[in-house]
Amino acid sequence: MTLRARLDAMPRDTRDTLFLLAVVAWVIAPHASHLPWWTLTLALCLLAWRGLLAWRAQPLPGRWVMAALLLLAVGATWLTHQSLVGRDPGVTLVVLLLTLKTLEMRARRDALVVFFLAFFTLLSHFFYSQSLPIAASQLIALLGLLTAVVNAHLPVGRPPLSESLRIAGKLVLWGTPVMLVLFLLFPRMAPLWGVPGDDLAGRSGLSPDMTVGEVARLALDDSVALRLRFDAPQPPPRSTLYFRGPVLSVFDGRQWRETPRFNADTWEADAPTGQLQVRGPAVSYEATLEPHRRRWLLTLDAAQSAPELPGQRARMTPQLQWLSQRPVTDVLRYRVQSHVDFRHGPLQASPSLAAYTVLPDGSDPRTVALAAQLRAEMGQAGNAAFVEAALARLRSGGYRYTLEPGVVAVHTADDFWFDSKQGFCEHIASAFVVLMRALDIPARIVTGYQGGEVNPVDGYWTVRNSDAHAWAEVWIAGQGWVRVDPTTAVAPGRTSELQRLSAPRGAFGQAMDSVIAPGLVQQLRAAWEAMNNGWNQWVLNYTQTRQSDLLGLLGLSAPSWQTLLQWLAGLAGAAALAVCAWLWRERRAPADGWQRLRRQAHARLQQAGLDLPAHAPPRTMASLASAQWGTDAAAIAHWLLRLERQRYASPAADANPAQHLSELRREFKSLNWPRASRLQDP
C-alpha cells in the first residue's frame, strides 16, 4: 500500500493528530535560531514520538513518564538559563510544555489546550524578531492552527482538511478589517511591559572597544545597518558621508576602548554643543536604524540638534556621539539635521587634551622612534605639517589596503608601519593615531560607517555592516578636532568611489554568476530590501506621528487618545450590530447546508416567474423548469437532479458527500438562471 493510500485509509483521529503535529513543528521551528540547541532537539523528538504513536495506534505514555519528562524539561531550563523567569527561559518552557501536552492529547479538551499553547508560542516569536519573513511564517502558522481548530469542531465524520482550510481562510479574511482598524486607530503608546533578562551585547558591527582585526570580519557582512532618506533631491557627496559611532581614545597597546563619558543613565537637558560650530546649510534626512541593542544613534557627522526620537530623548556626548535613553532593540526611525562642514573642540591647548596623547609604556618602540625622527627632521612644525607627513608616508610607502592583513604582532603599529605594511581601516587608523600620539599630538579613533549606496527600487540610501569604518581625529591649534581618514591615503577609492573589499567567491558563487544573468542577484536583493524597508516604515514604525498624519488625511486633526477610543468603540458597536444581523439571518435560514441550497434555487426560479409549491423537491423544480423553458433550462434541470441525488443517494454511491455539496454550491453561482422578462409571452 502506497503512503498516499495509507493516509487516505487511516482513521480520522490519526490524520488530524498528524496534521496538528506538523503545524506545531512549523510554529516552533523559527525559535531554532535563539533557543538552546537541546530545546529544539527535545521538542522535535517528542513530536516525532507522538506522531509514531498515532501512526501505530499505540497508547499514550502514562503519568509517571509525563512527570519525569516535565521534571527533565524544567531542570534543563533552569541549568541553562539559571532562572525560570524572563524571555528566554519563559519561551523555552512554553515550547517544551506545548510539545509535552501533545503526549496527553486524548480528547478534544486536550486539543484545545494544545491550540492555546500553540497560539501563545506563535506570539512569542515577536519577542525576538518582527521582520517580514517572520510575519509571513506566522501567517502560515496561523492558517494551519485555525484549520486544526475548525477541523476539531466539525461534526462526526471525515470532513476533508481542504474544507477546514477554506473556513479558516474565511475567518482570516473576516478578521482582517478588524485587525486593520485596530492597527490604524488604536492609540500609539510605549509598551506597557518590559522583557527582563535581555542580553545587551552589541550586534550592529560596532563596539565600545576595537581589537585589531575585528572590523575586518564585519566587512563580510552585507546586512543592512542603517537606511536614510534625504529631504533634498541631491544628497551630499559620498565622500562626506561619515556616520559617527563610538569614539575610542583609551589604548593598552593592542585594544582601543571607548572614551570615558558622562553617566549614560543621567540625562541632562542640554547637550554639550558649545564647542561645536557648524557652517553651511543643514542636511535634513530621516534615518531608520536596525536594532543593535546599544544606545548609539548613528547620525551623519555632525548633528547640532538632537535627533527626533519617538517617545524618548537623545543626548550628545562631549565626543559628538548621540545616544538614546534606551537600547535600540527594535527598528528605530528618527529625523536628524546634520552639517558636513563643522568644527568642534577647544581651539587652544588645554589640560583636557593630555589624555589623547597617552601611550602605554614600552608600546610600539619603532613607531616612537619614527616620531622622534620626524621631530628631528621637521623641528617645531605645526600639528598639521606632521599629519601631512604621515599621510605622505602612507601614499608613497607601499602600504596596501586588504581584507586579510595576516597575523598582527604584539606591537600593532610597528607591524603596520615597518613589517606587513598592509591592513584594513582599523589597522591603518590605529597605527596613524599611535604615531600622532608619539609625536605628542592629541589624536583618537572614531568608529562608525562611511558611504553607502542607493536602492534603485525605493530610493533609500542603504548603509550596510560592510560599510563599517574607522578613521582618526587629530587636534590642531585654531581648528579643534579635525577628521583625518588615513585609509584614503592608502586606498583613495574607499571613500571617493565607494570601493569595497569583498571576500573571495566560492565555486557556488562563481557558478551562480555564470548561470544567472549579471546583476540579477543584485536586483533581487534590492527588491527584497525595499520590501523589508516598506515593512519597517509602514508597520514596525507606525508611530504616533504617522498615525496623526493618516488621521489628518481623514479629517481628524490631532485627535486625542480619548477620541480614538471613541471611534474604536463606535466601529466595534457597528460591527457587533452587523454580526447580530447576520446571525439573525442565519438563524432564520435552515441549518442544513443542502436545505439552504434548495431554498436558494427555489427563490431564483420564483423570481423568474415560475409558480412552485413552497416545499417542492429538486426533481419537481427540474420538471417544471423544463416544461416552462425547454432546452434553455437543461443545465438548471441537470443541476437540480444532481442536487437531489446528493441528498438521497446511498452512502456507497457517494463516498464524499461534503465535497460534492461544495461543488454544487460553486456551480449554483455560475448557472445562467432565467429572468422574469424571458417568461413574458409574445
Side-chain angles (χ1 to χ4, degrees), residues 3-43:
L3 178 62
R4 177 61 182 273
R6 186 164 184 179
L7 289 173
D8 293 337
M10 69 174 53
R12 178 185 173 182
D13 288 344
T14 303
R15 183 204 65 178
D16 294 351
T17 300
L18 293 177
F19 175 75
L20 178 58
L21 294 177
V23 173
V24 170
W26 180 273
V27 168
I28 67 176
H31 279 306
S33 61
H34 43 258
L35 289 186
W37 64 269
W38 63 264
T39 304
L40 189 67
T41 302
L42 179 58

Side-chain angles (χ1 to χ4, degrees), residues 86-98:
R87 181 191 63 180
D88 291 343
V91 173
T92 299
L93 277 178
V94 167
V95 169
L96 293 176
L97 291 176
L98 170 60

Side-chain angles (χ1 to χ4, degrees), residues 12-13 15-16 108 148-160 163-164 167 591-593 658:
R12 178 185 173 182
D13 288 344
R15 183 204 65 178
D16 294 351
R108 191 174 71 170
V149 172
V150 170
N151 187 67
H153 287 82
L154 288 180
V156 177
R158 191 182 173 83
E163 180 68 15
S164 301
I167 298 175
D592 183 84

Side-chain angles (χ1 to χ4, degrees), residues 378-391:
M378 301 178 63
Q380 299 300 319
N383 292 356
F386 286 107
V387 169
E388 184 56 36
L391 294 178

